[in-house]
Every structure is written in C-alpha cells, then in structure tokens.
Amino acid sequence: MIIDSIDFFYGSMPEVTLEADGSQDALLVRVATDDGSVGWGECEASPLVSIAAFVAPRSHGVCQPVSASVIGQRIDGVADIERLTRLVGRNSMDLLQAAHTWSGIEIALWDLLGRRLGEPVWRLLGYERSHPKVPYASMLMGDSPQLTLERAREARARGFLAVKVGWGGYGTGTAREDADHVAAAREGVGPDGVLLVDAGQIWVDDLEAAAARLAALQAADALWLEEPFVPYAFGAHARLAELAGSVGIAGGEGAHNPHMAINLIELGGVRFIQVDAARIGGIGPARQVADVALASGVTYVNHTFTSHLALSASLQPFAGLATHRICEYPAEPKQLALDLSRQHIALDANGEIAAPDAPGLGIDVDPAGLSPYLRDVEILVDGRTLFASPSLPGEPARARLAATTARPATTTAPASGPATPSVLDPSRALQ
Amino acid sequence: MIIDSIDFFYGSMPEVTLEADGSQDALLVRVATDDGSVGWGECEASPLVSIAAFVAPRSHGVCQPVSASVIGQRIDGVADIERLTRLVGRNSMDLLQAAHTWSGIEIALWDLLGRRLGEPVWRLLGYERSHPKVPYASMLMGDSPQLTLERAREARARGFLAVKVGWGGYGTGTAREDADHVAAAREGVGPDGVLLVDAGQIWVDDLEAAAARLAALQAADALWLEEPFVPYAFGAHARLAELAGSVGIAGGEGAHNPHMAINLIELGGVRFIQVDAARIGGIGPARQVADVALASGVTYVNHTFTSHLALSASLQPFAGLATHRICEYPAEPKQLALDLSRQHIALDANGEIAAPDAPGLGIDVDPAGLSPYLRDVEILVDGRTLFASPSLPGEPARARLAATTARPATTTAPASGPATPSVLDPSRALQ
C-alpha cells in the first residue's frame, strides 16, 4: 500500500497559559493509504512548527521536509516503518524539528498497520500480552506546601497509588523551601504511597544545586528525582546518581532520538528512563530504548502529559515488560486532551491501567469532540499555499477554504477517507 | 536599549537541488533596538521552520516561541546576550527548532553590540587580535575519482593549501570505491597539501563500516575523517578514534547546544571539534566550546557552508586562538551566498584569511544583492497573520502587503530602521 495523504489537525484550548502543562494543545496526525486504511498519531510538540517541518521547501539534500520522505512510500509492514525512520533521519538530518513531526506520523503508521491486521500495536512489537501498569498521577506542584499536600491527597483519593509532583516553583527558591514541598507531598501521598519528584531541568548542569535537595528527597523516601539537568549533561547526571543513594535519577523525556535516551542510561546513570513516543521518533525508536533498558537493569517508563491517544502510543513500547510496572498518567489534563478521543484508558479496581487490547492503538479520534478546539493554519511561500488546515472526516469543508484560490491538491483523498488533503507538494514551492 | 524588532529574510536560489550544499538558501536576521542600533545574523537552518519557531503560538510555559523571550528585552552588553540565551533555553525547552532560530538572533545581537561600540566581535569576546587562519576549500566529492581529483587540483590552483572532499557517494558504495576517491583527492591536492575527508554521518553508528575506510585514509595521509557517525554516537566515535592512528576524527557541526559539542570532545575522542555558530545557539555558546577545546588539547574549527556573514560569525569564537589554524571556507557557494553581502573574506597572498578587523562582524548585508532571491512567507493562524515577510531596508513595501488586511503591528519600527516589522505578537494568536 502507498501512503497518499498525511493530514495535521492542530487543536488548542481557548487560552494557553504559562503553566508547564502540555495538554493545552495537541497536534494530531492522520495517515491514509491508497487501500483506504487510516491511522492516527500525535506529536508532543509545537503544532505550528511541526507542521512547517512537514511542508517547508527543501534547503538541500539533507535538509528536506519530512513529507519528502513519506508521501508516496510503500507501507506493507513493520519493516517499512523502520525504513522510513532511517529515510527521514537521513533526508532531514539538518532539520531539527523533523524528529517531532516524524514522531506523530510514525505512531499513526503503527496504528494504521494494527487496524489493518486487526492486532494491537504491542502484538506487532512482538509482545504476547499487555501487562497492567501502576499509573502515577502527574501533577504540578502547588503554590504552597499545603496546596501540594492537598493535590497529592486528592490523587490518592482518586485511586492513584503513586503521585508525581514537580515544576511550579520547585528548584527556583531555596533548598529549604523545596524540602517543605517534598515533605508536604509525602504527607499527602501517605506512608504507603509512591512519591516521585520532577525538577524539570531546573538546575541545567549545576550538580551542587541538585545535590542540596537530596537529603529531603531521601527523608521523604522519594522513588525518583526526575530531570535534574538538561538531557545532555551526562556527567552531572552520573555524579548525582552516585550521591543519591535510595533516590533513583529519572530522565529522558527530552530525547528526540533513541541515542539520547540510551546515553542517559549508559553514561548518565539514570535508574528510570522516561520516553515520550511522540517526541523520540515514534514507537519503534522508543522500543529500541526499552530493549536497552531491559538489558541494563534500568526501568522503562513512558512520558505522557497529553491525550489518551498519546498515552496508548507511549504505553505500547513497554506494554509487554511485566516487571516495568510504573507508568505516567496525565491526571489533570485540559478538556481538549479528553474530548479528542472516544475511548479513554481508565484505572481499574486495582488502580492499574494497560495498553488497550484492541486493533492499532485502540483509541479512536472523536471528530465532534476535537472540532471545537481546532485552529486554522495557513502557510504560504511566494503566494502558494504549502499548508491549509484540512477538514475533519465528516465535517463540511471549512468556510475559510472558499477564500483560498488556486489550491492544487497533489495528493488524492483515499477512497474511504473524506478528509480534505492538506498536503501540497513542497518541492514545487520554489519553482 | 530595548530590542524592539526582529525581522527574518528568507532567500533562496531559483532551484534548490538535492546536493548536500547548504548555500542554496539563507535565513538572515535583522535585530533593531530602540536607539536605532541594528545588527544582522544568519541561521544555518530550514528558513520556514525557523521562522515558525519565532512566531508560533505558545504550547505551554516551556514550549514558547523564541520571540517571547527576546522582543522587549534589554540589551546593554554581552551579559544580556548570555542572559537571553538562558531565557530562550528555558522558555523554549520543548521547541526543538528554537536553537536554530535563536542562533541567528544571537549572532545579530553580537553584531549590533560591536557596531554600537565600534569594536569587532572578537574583541568583545576578549581576544586581542584576529589571528590568520588557513582556510580549507570545502567541496563535494565528484561523481568519479577523476572528477574528485580535478576539483581538488582546482582548489589548490585557487590558492587553497587545504582541501576537504566528501558527501556525494562517499560511504555509500564499497570501501574500495571510497579508497579510489581518497587516493584521487590526495593526487589532486598534491603531496604538500592538507587533505580532509567528510563522511556526512553516512555510517550512523556502524563502527565496522567506518573502520573499513581507515587504511585508505591513512595511506593518503588525511588529516581528519569528519562525521563518520551521528553526533550522539559517542562510543562509536571514541572506538574509531582509537583505531584511526594518524587520522583524527572530526565532528560537531550538528551540535545545537554547547553540551553536544563538549560531549564529542570529552566522550567521543574527536581531535577536531567543528562548530557552526549559526546552529549551536550563536557566538557565545560556540565560544564556550572553544574554551573547552583549548583546555582539552582539541583543535577548534568553524563549520560554514553558506555566506560570508555566517563565515565571519563562525570565525569569531576562535579568532584569537593563534594555534587553532585551520578553518572551513565555502569554496563553491551558490551565487546567493556571495550576493547577499557587500564584503567578502578573501584569501591573502599566503592563502590565509582572518575574521574582519571592523565593527561587529564586519560584513554588511547588501539589500540590492539579496533582494532578487527573497521568498515571500506568510503564516496565519485563525486568519491572523503571525508572520509576513518584511521589506528590506530601502525597499518599497512589498506589493503583497497591500492584500493583507488588519495587520496590527505590536512592535514599532526603530527610528533609523525603515524595515517593515515582521513581528506580531504571538501571544495574541489564540485570543
């Protein structure tokens, strides 16, 4: 089968704040092939910039837009996804944003293959079953220790056995203030809960600043300290890991290729490697990291702060690893992240979740739910439209399109897919 | 002084081919402050995507567009540039392309400060003089060994003492074929010339494939083998360096932050660290790498494949290092890369060049030269124009602008700068 259309849908909340909350917008990707197969993915990335990386005019042979390596390509099986990963890596070597754009497309290709074969993605990855995971509620730290305590307590009341707090002011004030927050979080989580703390790279590569927080984390029996540093500071990670005793160092969400995450395992001494399939290049590269983690005695954990489509995608790479139990769960997402899909991955009576036992990712995008959030993007070079937001399946052509003149579609809509194709031919842009 | 406008100018050749030739397009950046000071920089990056990273609507607190951290900021001295580097790094942590966008702005800020103070940038960096460098002609490998030989010979005839060949088919065929090219290049360079070979990451992380080329490189007395692997494969770099004997391993042009280049020095065993100021985040981060190289006994080399504005920017960080002699020189740039500036950095009678002894970067953009190459970009979200290509200084407002309605400029043009501001307020995009 041939990939003949790739459509991007950019949704956002009416107001996007400065909170470190990645669920305020979403970039969904719909891939369709010439036999009418369809798959959906999501990029955990700046939507506009990731769209631009798909349609940009080429700069030279290894600074091509992502579309150049994907549209018109065969997709008959898993090996084709791996081949396209290599092709995009080569042709877009000098286009930084390409990794984030490709991540969503790669995920959509797994979903498409799984749906076509009637198999969950985790089975295509060679796993025999989808093992239950213990989700942690991922929450922003409160403005006061009391608020942090209350948030953690609420999460426990909702059935979460594990709670992660972080960002907010953590790491920006004194070690004493941070210690108060961590102690409050432990009180909220209770003596039997699992406590995790996220520093969000706040200390860049300052070992001393991070080390000053360790005693409080040890006293509160935190399972991990997440992202003390930028993901390139391997030496600082490794030295902190030596000092941290019972507290494991976690990181990896910033990895936009598997090498970066594997380096954190092999050189950074992390005990938990956190991978966002929607950033690292998709499910295949994430699975590569899971294999290295397994061989290295490091625990693989998903990173997910957005929708349940992204959650399913990020669970797949380690769904079959029974002993890698903990997983991230966006506990307070914005409404957009819930409304965009028909199904949601809910906690069971044990407080556990699992990657769906359903074809593909097992999550259907809900056009009616997504529609109110959609943003209309137009990108033109020399008066030619390189990108115009497509209509959703079943939605009438958007009014704006009436005002767009001479919009030659160079890809055809698939037989069963009524979406307006958004992909024009970037190679024509400069002719 | 306050930064009150940042304008992007995207130029390209009429036809952009699949050659690995980065001089086929250019993204120039003009920064102006409220006292009428102006500086110019260049991003070595996909122009459209880098513009999008400047104007994109924010996604969340650490996925903000680059503009959010720069417009309206004070810029009184070098410390302010460093402060803005940290601010962009924090606020755009999750926006991959931000590093490439910021690089051009950072360079323009150095140029602006240098011109305001009447000092070359290298003097603002603390260097006492701009030492002469030995430029190597950077050329693509020919389709046949004979063509490679002729290109190398021509470069010597033009006065270059050193020649680099690479890309083309190098590394994609057999080791035998590659050996023929390398031997031919040596013949063309002559026994007294310096020969360099560039593999362009072709072996990704395949140590064996790279090692199979070493004997021919040693026999041809190549000074270095450049970019055998992706810049994250430290282990492969280090093992190849051990095997390579007299041939040094070189790399670093892909670094989009100083950590990446420093890791190649400390973990990858490179003997030459190649930094593109227009990718790594600008002149300040490049200088950080130069300091580490100096302390580590590694030779710092610029990476430049585009204009003489970019060449000057990439020479500044090591202009004062007398013993770091070799430098890259785009020997066969496309006409755009020459036409866009008034001055050019030419070889002297000794076949040497130096960073200009003139205020700022010492290179003036030539509006008349650049104008024929300019591409017109428009980016709209929900019908609001986030970006529209500005007019060049002295150029009449572009005809297209007449058709754009309701375009509220939220930054004001500087008193002495007649350019049409291209920066609208991205934070308003979703309101």
Side-chain angles (χ1 to χ4, degrees):
Chain A
M1 273 66 61
I2 302 295
I3 298 172
D4 66 6
S5 78
I6 298 185
D7 292 298
F8 290 88
F9 300 91
Y10 169 16
S12 88
M13 297 297 291
E15 189 190 5
V16 174
T17 72
L18 288 174
E19 277 184 302
D21 176 355
S23 71
Q24 301 185 83
D25 65 11
L27 181 62
L28 296 174
V29 187
R30 179 185 183 275
V31 177
T33 51
D34 59 354
D35 68 335
S37 298
V38 169
W40 285 85
E42 185 171 339
C43 307
E44 169 60 335
S46 167
L48 178 68
V49 183
S50 301
I51 290 169
F54 189 73
V55 301
R58 83 160 72 108
S59 289
H60 53 80
V62 297
C63 193
Q64 297 185 59
V66 175
S67 56
S69 305
V70 188
I71 296 288
Q73 290 283 340
R74 289 205 73 81
I75 178 78
D76 295 329
V78 168
D80 285 316
I81 303 182
E82 292 164 0
R83 177 178 57 81
L84 293 180
T85 289
R86 287 192 297 274
L87 197 61
V88 171
R90 183 71 192 164
N91 290 341
S92 301
M93 179 195 293
D94 285 349
L95 207 176
L96 262 188
Q97 191 71 20
H100 281 183
T101 304
W102 171 241
S103 295
I105 300 170
E106 204 261 15
I107 290 168
L109 290 171
W110 283 99
D111 186 48
L112 183 152
L113 281 183
R115 288 172 185 268
R116 187 194 283 159
L117 298 167
E119 297 279 8
V121 170
W122 47 263
R123 197 165 285 137
L124 301 186
L125 288 167
Y127 293 132
E128 290 187 5
R129 57 172 296 211
S130 170
H131 289 277
K133 309 285 180 195
V134 178
Y136 63 83
S138 195
M139 324 187 76
L140 301 177
M141 216 166 249
D143 288 338
S144 69
Q146 183 59 30
L147 274 172
T148 300
L149 184 157
E150 287 165 15
R151 284 194 183 172
R153 186 173 282 161
E154 280 165 25
R156 285 304 310 269
R158 288 170 57 196
F160 289 98
L161 303 172
V163 178
K164 185 173 84 183
V165 294
W167 292 84
Y170 188 73
T172 61
T174 65
R176 180 69 250 165
E177 289 162 348
D178 288 344
D180 290 344
H181 271 279
V182 169
R186 165 52 73 194
E187 196 179 333
V189 168
D192 61 334
V194 175
L195 174 62
L196 314 163
V197 177
D198 186 354
Q201 304 185 17
I202 194 69
W203 301 300
V204 187
D205 58 359
D206 182 346
L207 178 66
E208 204 180 331
R213 272 72 181 184
L214 287 176
L217 294 164
Q218 289 160 350
D221 195 24
L223 180 63
W224 78 50
L225 171 63
E226 177 173 332
E227 283 215 305
F229 309 120
V230 296
Y232 302 95
F234 307 118
H237 276 91
R239 285 189 288 276
L240 189 67
E242 288 165 9
L243 299 171
S246 63
V247 179
I249 304 302
E253 68 177 84
H256 52 86
N257 58 60
H259 297 283
M260 285 179 69
I262 293 168
N263 284 333
L264 276 172
I265 293 173
E266 296 183 346
L267 303 168
V270 298
R271 205 180 293 167
F272 301 90
I273 187 74
Q274 305 169 291
V275 175
D276 198 319
R279 284 181 182 164
I280 201 169
I283 291 171
R287 169 61 188 274
Q288 273 181 264
V289 177
D291 288 345
V292 174
L294 194 61
S296 309
V298 164
T299 300
Y300 184 100
V301 190
N302 66 304
H303 171 268
T304 308
F305 218 88
T306 53
S307 76
H308 287 234
L309 184 75
L311 178 60
S312 177
S314 278
L315 288 172
Q316 305 292 333
F318 75 125
L321 304 184
T323 56
H324 297 235
R325 291 268 291 158
I326 199 161
C327 76
E328 184 167 45
Y329 189 90
E332 296 178 317
K334 294 289 184 284
Q335 200 58 37
L336 159 66
L338 297 173
D339 288 353
L340 68 79
S341 69
R342 290 215 176 87
Q343 300 83 8
H344 301 92
I345 299 173
L347 273 62
D348 67 14
N350 298 324
E352 296 180 335
I353 66 166
D357 191 358
L361 297 175
I363 304 288
D364 297 311
V365 169
D366 181 354
L370 175 59
S371 182
Y373 300 96
L374 285 179
R375 300 290 152 186
D376 218 16
V377 175
E378 273 190 276
I379 300 174
L380 299 92
V381 174
D382 290 342
R384 289 184 65 109
T385 301
L386 298 191
F387 181 87
S389 288
S391 301
L392 274 169
E395 195 190 30
R398 317 193 94 187
R400 178 197 43 69
L401 291 182
T404 307
T405 55
R407 197 162 151 279
T410 59
T411 59
T412 52
S416 72
T420 307
S422 63
V423 181
L424 308 183
D425 182 356
S427 67
R428 291 200 184 173
L430 299 179
Q431 292 168 4
Chain B
M1 274 65 61
I2 302 296
I3 298 173
D4 66 5
S5 78
I6 299 185
D7 291 298
F8 289 87
F9 300 90
Y10 170 14
S12 88
M13 297 297 292
E15 189 189 7
V16 174
T17 72
L18 289 173
E19 277 184 301
D21 176 356
S23 71
Q24 300 184 84
D25 66 10
L27 182 62
L28 295 174
V29 188
R30 179 183 182 278
V31 176
T33 51
D34 61 354
D35 67 335
S37 299
V38 169
W40 285 85
E42 184 170 342
C43 307
E44 169 59 335
S46 167
L48 178 68
V49 184
S50 302
I51 290 169
F54 189 74
V55 300
R58 82 160 72 108
S59 288
H60 54 80
V62 296
C63 194
Q64 297 186 59
V66 175
S67 56
S69 306
V70 187
I71 296 288
Q73 291 282 339
R74 289 204 73 81
I75 178 77
D76 295 328
V78 167
D80 284 316
I81 303 182
E82 292 164 0
R83 177 177 58 80
L84 293 179
T85 289
R86 289 192 297 273
L87 196 62
V88 171
R90 182 72 191 164
N91 291 341
S92 300
M93 180 195 293
D94 285 349
L95 207 176
L96 263 187
Q97 192 71 21
H100 281 184
T101 304
W102 171 241
S103 295
I105 300 170
E106 204 261 15
I107 290 168
L109 289 171
W110 282 100
D111 186 48
L112 184 151
L113 281 184
R115 288 172 186 269
R116 188 194 282 158
L117 299 167
E119 296 279 8
V121 169
W122 48 262
R123 197 165 284 137
L124 301 187
L125 288 167
Y127 293 132
E128 291 188 4
R129 57 173 295 212
S130 170
H131 289 277
K133 308 285 180 195
V134 178
Y136 63 83
S138 194
M139 324 187 77
L140 301 176
M141 216 167 249
D143 288 338
S144 68
Q146 183 59 32
L147 274 172
T148 300
L149 185 156
E150 287 165 15
R151 284 193 184 173
R153 186 173 283 161
E154 280 165 25
R156 286 305 309 271
R158 287 171 56 197
F160 289 98
L161 303 172
V163 178
K164 186 173 85 183
V165 295
W167 292 82
Y170 188 74
T172 62
T174 66
R176 180 68 251 165
E177 289 162 347
D178 288 346
D180 290 345
H181 272 279
V182 169
R186 166 51 72 194
E187 197 181 332
V189 169
D192 59 334
V194 174
L195 173 63
L196 314 163
V197 177
D198 185 353
Q201 304 185 17
I202 193 70
W203 302 299
V204 186
D205 57 1
D206 182 346
L207 179 65
E208 204 180 331
R213 271 73 181 185
L214 288 177
L217 294 164
Q218 289 160 350
D221 194 23
L223 180 64
W224 78 51
L225 171 64
E226 177 173 332
E227 283 215 305
F229 309 120
V230 295
Y232 303 94
F234 306 119
H237 275 91
R239 286 189 288 278
L240 189 67
E242 288 165 10
L243 299 171
S246 62
V247 179
I249 304 302
E253 68 178 83
H256 51 88
N257 58 60
H259 297 283
M260 286 180 67
I262 292 167
N263 283 333
L264 276 172
I265 292 173
E266 295 182 348
L267 303 168
V270 298
R271 205 179 294 167
F272 301 90
I273 187 73
Q274 304 169 292
V275 175
D276 198 320
R279 285 182 180 162
I280 201 168
I283 291 171
R287 168 61 188 274
Q288 273 181 265
V289 177
D291 287 345
V292 174
L294 194 60
S296 308
V298 164
T299 299
Y300 184 100
V301 190
N302 65 304
H303 172 268
T304 308
F305 218 89
T306 52
S307 75
H308 286 235
L309 184 75
L311 178 60
S312 177
S314 278
L315 288 172
Q316 305 292 332
F318 75 126
L321 305 185
T323 57
H324 296 234
R325 289 268 291 158
I326 198 161
C327 76
E328 185 168 44
Y329 189 90
E332 296 178 317
K334 294 288 185 283
Q335 200 59 36
L336 159 66
L338 297 174
D339 288 353
L340 68 78
S341 69
R342 289 214 177 89
Q343 301 83 8
H344 300 93
I345 299 173
L347 274 61
D348 67 14
N350 298 324
E352 296 179 336
I353 66 168
D357 191 357
L361 298 175
I363 303 288
D364 296 311
V365 169
D366 182 354
L370 175 59
S371 183
Y373 299 95
L374 284 179
R375 301 290 151 185
D376 218 16
V377 174
E378 272 191 278
I379 300 175
L380 299 93
V381 173
D382 290 343
R384 288 184 66 107
T385 302
L386 299 191
F387 181 87
S389 288
S391 301
L392 274 169
E395 194 190 30
R398 314 194 95 187
R400 179 196 43 68
L401 291 181
T404 307
T405 55
R407 197 162 152 281
T410 59
T411 59
T412 51
S416 72
T420 306
S422 62
V423 180
L424 308 182
D425 181 356
S427 68
R428 291 199 181 173
L430 298 179
Q431 291 171 4

